[in-house]
Amino acid sequence: MTLQIAIMYAVAVVFALTGVGLLLSLIRPAGPAKVYVYRMVGIMALAFGLVLALSASAMWQWSTEA
């Protein structure tokens, strides 16, 4: 695994955990604006983390085939 792929995995984990944290914080009651923003940003951060992890996995696979 190259340094670039490890960095991609690290950033993916940070974004995924941030997204999960924002979504889990909605368990407590909050105003409609906070719920909207936390839900939107949480879902986008989680999705970005997952897509970046998939991209890192694909790059890792491609680098081992050569």
Side-chain angles (χ1 to χ4, degrees), residues 35-49:
V35 168
Y36 175 78
V37 171
Y38 276 35
R39 186 181 299 155
M40 182 69 67
V41 175
I43 289 172
M44 288 177 15
L46 182 59
F48 178 69

Side-chain angles (χ1 to χ4, degrees), residues 8-44:
M8 286 177 69
Y9 276 125
V11 172
V13 167
V14 168
F15 272 96
L17 291 177
T18 301
V20 168
L22 287 172
L23 293 173
L24 287 177
S25 70
L26 292 175
I27 293 173
R28 294 184 293 277
K34 184 177 179 179
V35 168
Y36 175 78
V37 171
Y38 276 35
R39 186 181 299 155
M40 182 69 67
V41 175
I43 289 172
M44 288 177 15

